Every structure is written in structure tokens, then in C-alpha cells.
Amino acid sequence: MRLLPPALGASPGPARLGGVTPGTAAPPRHPLRHGQPALVSPGIEPGLRHSSWKNGSGVVFLRDIPLLLMNRPIFLEEPQNPPSVRFVAPQTSRVPPRPPQPKISSHLSVSARCCLILRIQDTPRKFPSRTGLPVKAPMEMWTNSTERFYRIPEGKGPHSVGCTDLMTENAVEGSFLRLYYPACDATDTEEARWIPDREYYQGLSDFLNMYRIVGERLFHYYVGSVTCPAKSNAAFKPGEKYPLLIFSHGLGAFRTIYSAICIEMASQGFIVAAVEHRDESASATYYCKRRSVSESREESTSNMEKEWIYYRKLKTGEEERCLRHKQVQQRAQECIKALNLILKISSGEEVTNVLHSDFDWNSLKDSVDTSRIAVMGHSFGGATVIESLSKEIRFRCGIALDVWMLPVGDDIYQNSVQQPLLFINSEKFQWADNILKIKKLISNDTNKKMITIKGSVHQSFPDFTFVSGGIIARFFKLKGEIDPNEAIDISNHASLAFLQKHLSLKKDFDKWDSLVDGIGPNVIPGSNIDISPAEPE
């Protein structure tokens, strides 16, 4: 099963069908109930290969079916693109039985508009890879061993990468992070799950204004078996002191979905602590709290349970800047708290991980180079970088990826950020007011730089750009005009060159110094946004 978008620019309707079956004389009717997406395959003949729009697939915009029609079958007209609703059956109408199902491709995608488009194909298809070699599309569904057509890129540095989760204290005030680190080579260690709990699907559904039951099932089918290319709880690679990088996620995100960036940094010799913020800006997060003795005995389970915190939407009449500024203050404190925690572990102090992983935290003793610490983040995380730099001098420099400047306090612009700072922007996200604020912060400081990656979008930095198909990704702006692997390489290489210079690293990252100045393929200095004042008429 694979999701495809409707015609570009088409707005969601009550219920639509997205395909025409070749050779169909009369338009068939397909019963679907609101909240119960059915896989229908009208007119499919064995042995035929159907194109994306000619495969008898069904399209349902689940959120927009009127409440009065929720328990009545809706019949869809087929030979239009986009098609229209033919009629709604009366209350007493009997729903015809569903036809037999062919094999279904296992790849899904999810849209913020909550549209469900099911592509059904009865034979394996081959797609050309970027290297020109044929890549077999996944076929078997509902298994964790499916062959995946899309994959988060592996680190390109000399180190293998491991990751583990760390949570301290049995309260919301504790720290929660995913640690990426150089690891010993191991072939018997499994890769970490990309999205580790079903509650994250629910949180993403809330953030995208989808029904939870629909979003959870779609996310699970689509990315439930996706892993990130880092070995879960792999042994830490000792023998040297590594620079430390604290990473802050964006609005509606969480600690695991920037793994392409974090894994690349770890493969190049950094310890990366990706913080999961508890300021209600994450799609979902949690802390562990103790059960009562009676609850533990009754359920015969652990004496710990997860207390989930979901994304908080703006209340009616609430000013967004006030909320986001309050949140960014907490986020900066959480980054500083994560820094203190990792340095505490590196000093040899005992730390209790309430998640009870198999990772040996004692192996991190004397592993951090305390003179080489930086902070990095995307979007809201970019604003968190700026706030963190203003509050903590131990962060020697920062990198803000496609920063959202609204949460940043006015006091920050009064020379409160002294450390070097690199802004890496996408071409499509930024706007004049945001760029003006960045330039105000940069002022004439030569250690503060801004570059723009041509053809990129705001979602070129999180992992979703790598695990979504081309049409869906373009329609929902998960991919830009530039290849996502090239975009993330430009961002990572510029970041590494910047970190080498300002952390005084003895590496060869200076070969990418030109990128920091906006010189190179698909990168420009400054911004593509015109901020010159409008001429009077």
C-alpha cells in the first residue's frame, strides 16, 4: 500500500477517488465508511500493471465527511480526476461485499490534510535508483522484515555509530535525550527504531490535525518498521576525547527524527545529545513516574509507568509570541541541563537511567572534550540555539538550521550572543521579517554567517524527507527541488567546517570552508529573500 497525493493544488473534498481503470465501461461504485478506510480494487485484472493514476485506487478525505453521513456508505464516482461523490446511500442501504484483495505494496505516506490514497498493485515494480541501478519496491505488508525503498542515510565518517536513550529523575523536570556516539564495530547489534512508541504517532496526528485513530494506523503501517542507521546500545568506542554537540528539535518534532544529522556528526567523531523538550512543543514526549505499590501488584508489571505530554496548541485569542518565548526559555534550560548531565557522566559520576537500557554508561568516563562544546538545532530549535548561547558560555559556538526567530527575546539582540553562529537556511521557508532579525543579530560580526541552500525547503533537515515518496513529499513540501541527500550533505559539510574552525578541531573538515561563505554548488551567501525597502510609488 502506498499513498499518493491528489492532483497538485486540489483541495480536499468530502470524498474522492483518484484513478480511472482502463477499459471500464460503466463507472463502478465503491462503498467506504467514514473512519473505516477500506482497500477497494475495482477493475484490476491479474497481470496488469497500473500507473499511479490508473490503478483503481480509492481516495477518502476522512476529516471532511459531514457528521450526518458518518454511519452511511459513500459511493464514489470513478472516471474523473479528481472525481466527485456520486451519491450517499440511504440509512437502510446495504453495503455490498468488498471484492477480493490483491497483494498490496507496503509503502505508505501521510498527509497533513488527512487524505488517504491507496495504490494497489498486483505485481512487483522496479524503480530506478539515483545510481541508475534498479531497486525493487517493497511488497509484503504487515512485517518488520520488509525491504525498504526509502532509507535514512548512514553516516559518512570513519566511525560506526551507536545510540541509546537516557532519562533522569521520575518527574517532568528531569532530562530526556537520545545520545549518538562513535561506537565499536558490531554486526550482531540491531539498528534503533526510528519512532519508538505509538504515542508519537498520536502526537504527530494531533500536530497535523488528523484523527488519532487514522494517523496512528497510517504512521504505523508506513514507518512502524523504519530504523535509523545507528546500532541500539552498541558499545562506546573509547580511546579519545570527543567534542560534544547538543541538538534541539523543531516544533512538533521529538528527539529521534533528526537522526540523519546526528548520525553524520557522530560518525565524524562527535558525541551528540539530541534533547526531547518537555515544554509542550514536541508532538509527544513523556517522563516515567512510579506506580503505587497496589497498582504494581495488581498488574504484575514494573513499578514505573509513562506519563505522556502532548503538543499544546494555541488557545483562542492567545498571542503566539508570548507562548513561544516562554517555551524557548525552558528549551534553553533543558539544553544546558543535558550538557551538565553528559559532563557529569564523563567525569565518572553515577547517573541513574530510569529507562534501564543495556548501555554501559561507565564507558563514557573521560570521553568528552570539555573545551569543545557546541549547540545545534532546527527551526524552533534554531531559536533555542540562540537562547542557549546567550545563557551558557560553555557553548563555544552554535548552528541554527532554518531558524524561526519569533520566539527569540528582544534582549538577545543587545550583544548578548558573543559566540560564533552559523545560520543555514532553506530557500523556501524564510521571509523578510525573519531575515531582518537574523541580520540584526549578525550585525557586523564576521564570526556570524548566513548561507542558503538552493532548492531546499524547511523539511529538508528532518528525516521525513528521506522516508517519503517523491510525489507526496513535493506536495506536502517534505522535499524541495534539490535531492534531499545533496541538501543534507551541504548542511552537514558546512556545519563540520564551521565547527572545526571555532572548536579548533584537528580534522580535515576545512576542505568545506567555502560552503560556510556560501560558495559552491547549490549554496549562496546570505539569503535569497529581498529585504530592500519598497520604493515609493
Side-chain angles (χ1 to χ4, degrees):
M1 182 169 62
R2 182 176 179 181
L3 297 179
L4 296 169
L8 295 182
S11 59
R16 294 176 176 172
L17 188 75
V20 180
T21 304
T24 304
R29 296 178 302 170
H30 314 298
L32 292 172
R33 286 186 185 276
H34 178 74
Q36 299 174 337
L39 306 182
V40 294
S41 54
I44 286 187
E45 299 176 16
L48 285 182
R49 292 186 179 182
H50 303 282
S51 70
S52 297
W53 291 108
K54 295 183 179 181
N55 53 23
S57 57
V59 180
V60 185
F61 290 91
L62 295 166
R63 278 191 81 86
D64 295 311
I65 297 178
L67 185 63
L68 295 176
L69 307 182
M70 285 181 63
N71 296 315
R72 298 162 64 185
I74 295 173
F75 293 86
L76 308 176
E77 197 84 55
E78 194 171 43
Q80 301 178 44
N81 191 16
S84 59
V85 177
R86 182 169 182 177
F87 69 89
V88 178
Q91 290 283 9
T92 57
S93 176
R94 186 167 172 241
V95 181
R98 204 168 55 174
Q101 300 300 301
K103 284 188 177 181
I104 302 169
S105 172
S106 67
H107 207 74
L108 289 132
S109 187
V110 180
S111 80
R113 296 185 180 181
C114 200
C115 68
L116 174 62
I117 305 180
L118 306 178
R119 183 173 81 176
I120 301 173
Q121 60 186 46
D122 51 282
T123 55
R125 304 271 309 267
K126 288 191 176 182
F127 301 90
S129 71
R130 293 187 182 92
T131 58
L133 300 175
V135 179
K136 189 176 179 182
M139 283 299 301
E140 293 302 324
M141 198 173 188
W142 327 126
T143 68
N144 289 327
S145 59
T146 52
E147 190 178 0
R148 286 182 284 278
F149 181 63
Y150 302 104
R151 180 166 171 79
I152 298 167
E154 297 181 0
K156 298 176 175 65
H159 299 282
S160 297
V161 178
C163 70
T164 190
D165 289 327
L166 173 61
M167 182 185 294
T168 62
E169 303 178 30
N170 301 318
V172 69
E173 293 80 18
S175 288
F176 190 20
L177 58 87
R178 173 161 285 191
L179 195 74
Y180 299 86
Y181 52 88
C184 298
D185 294 329
T187 57
D188 59 341
T189 307
E190 293 184 355
E191 291 186 345
R193 289 179 63 191
W194 183 48
I195 299 180
D197 293 281
R198 61 186 287 271
E199 285 82 1
Y200 289 107
Y201 303 146
Q202 296 175 358
L204 286 168
S205 301
D206 292 347
F207 183 71
L208 297 174
N209 293 317
M210 300 170 65
Y211 287 125
R212 279 190 176 187
I213 189 171
V214 176
E216 182 181 341
R217 293 182 69 180
L218 292 179
F219 277 112
H220 175 70
Y221 292 156
Y222 180 33
V223 297
S225 61
V226 171
T227 60
C228 68
K231 302 295 186 180
S232 180
N233 296 318
F236 180 77
K237 186 176 182 180
E240 62 178 292
K241 290 194 172 187
Y242 301 100
L244 175 62
L245 187 62
I246 305 296
F247 192 93
S248 173
H249 64 73
L251 190 70
F254 39 91
R255 73 189 186 282
T256 68
I257 65 172
Y258 293 89
S259 62
I261 294 173
C262 296
I263 287 171
E264 174 61 16
M265 294 296 150
S267 78
Q268 299 288 356
F270 287 80
I271 294 174
V272 184
V275 177
E276 188 159 289
H277 294 294
R278 290 170 170 167
D279 61 332
E280 298 180 298
S281 68
S283 286
T285 186
Y286 67 93
Y287 64 93
C288 291
K289 67 176 185 179
R290 294 191 181 277
R291 296 177 186 266
S292 66
V293 175
S294 59
E295 285 179 321
S296 298
R297 286 175 179 172
E298 287 175 8
E299 300 182 18
S300 300
T301 57
S302 167
N303 64 341
M304 304 295 292
E305 66 176 342
K306 294 178 180 178
E307 184 74 15
W308 284 89
I309 304 168
Y310 291 100
Y311 174 75
R312 166 159 131 51
K313 297 182 180 180
L314 285 173
K315 299 173 183 176
T316 304
E318 184 177 18
E319 184 183 358
E320 181 166 30
R321 192 172 188 275
C322 291
L323 172 63
R324 302 309 180 199
H325 181 63
K326 180 181 178 181
Q327 287 176 322
V328 82
Q329 301 295 313
Q330 179 176 334
R331 285 167 145 259
Q333 291 301 326
E334 288 171 339
C335 287
I336 295 168
K337 191 180 295 184
L339 167 61
N340 292 332
L341 178 61
I342 300 302
L343 294 182
K344 182 178 179 181
I345 294 171
S346 181
S347 69
E349 291 188 45
E350 283 288 331
V351 170
T352 300
N353 184 9
V354 300
L355 299 178
H356 303 297
S357 72
D358 296 329
F359 184 72
D360 180 13
W361 291 97
N362 292 323
S363 64
L364 287 177
K365 184 177 180 180
D366 296 325
S367 63
V368 176
D369 187 338
T370 57
S371 67
R372 294 182 168 97
I373 300 169
V375 60
M376 185 179 193
H378 172 245
S379 192
F380 202 175
T384 308
V385 166
I386 296 170
E387 288 284 342
S388 300
L389 290 171
S390 72
K391 297 179 186 305
E392 181 53 72
I393 197 64
R394 288 177 296 176
F395 290 126
R396 287 185 52 185
C397 62
I399 299 170
L401 306 173
D402 226 10
V403 63
W404 180 37
M405 296 295 289
L406 176 73
V408 176
D410 293 334
D411 58 311
I412 295 297
Y413 299 98
Q414 308 302 319
N415 297 318
S416 62
V417 177
Q418 303 296 322
Q419 302 97 312
L421 183 55
L422 174 63
F423 295 91
I424 303 178
N425 293 340
S426 71
E427 180 182 343
K428 304 297 184 181
F429 174 72
Q430 295 295 331
W431 63 101
D433 185 58
N434 213 54
I435 294 296
L436 285 170
K437 290 179 179 178
I438 294 173
K439 285 183 171 289
K440 184 178 179 181
L441 188 64
I442 291 174
S443 187
N444 295 317
D445 189 342
T446 57
N447 286 324
K448 293 183 175 69
K449 303 273 190 177
M450 176 169 56
I451 62 173
T452 299
I453 301 173
K454 293 192 288 186
S456 60
V457 295
H458 196 54
Q459 297 300 323
S460 294
F461 301 93
D463 295 336
F464 279 107
T465 191
F466 303 108
V467 297
S468 56
I471 299 176
I472 280 281
R474 285 194 295 273
F475 184 63
F476 296 105
K477 299 181 180 179
L478 298 176
K479 285 183 171 72
E481 297 167 4
I482 189 173
D483 180 275
N485 289 279
E486 183 178 357
I488 208 69
D489 281 348
I490 292 172
S491 176
N492 287 336
H493 292 166
S495 298
L496 289 167
F498 183 80
L499 291 169
Q500 169 155 328
K501 178 178 180 180
H502 297 291
L503 297 182
S504 304
L505 302 175
K506 294 180 173 62
K507 302 283 187 178
D508 64 347
F509 305 150
D510 54 353
K511 62 188 174 185
W512 298 308
D513 277 350
S514 61
L515 293 176
V516 180
D517 294 319
I519 301 171
N522 293 318
V523 64
I524 60 172
S527 174
N528 61 308
I529 303 298
D530 182 12
I531 57 173
S532 58
E535 295 182 4
E537 296 181 1

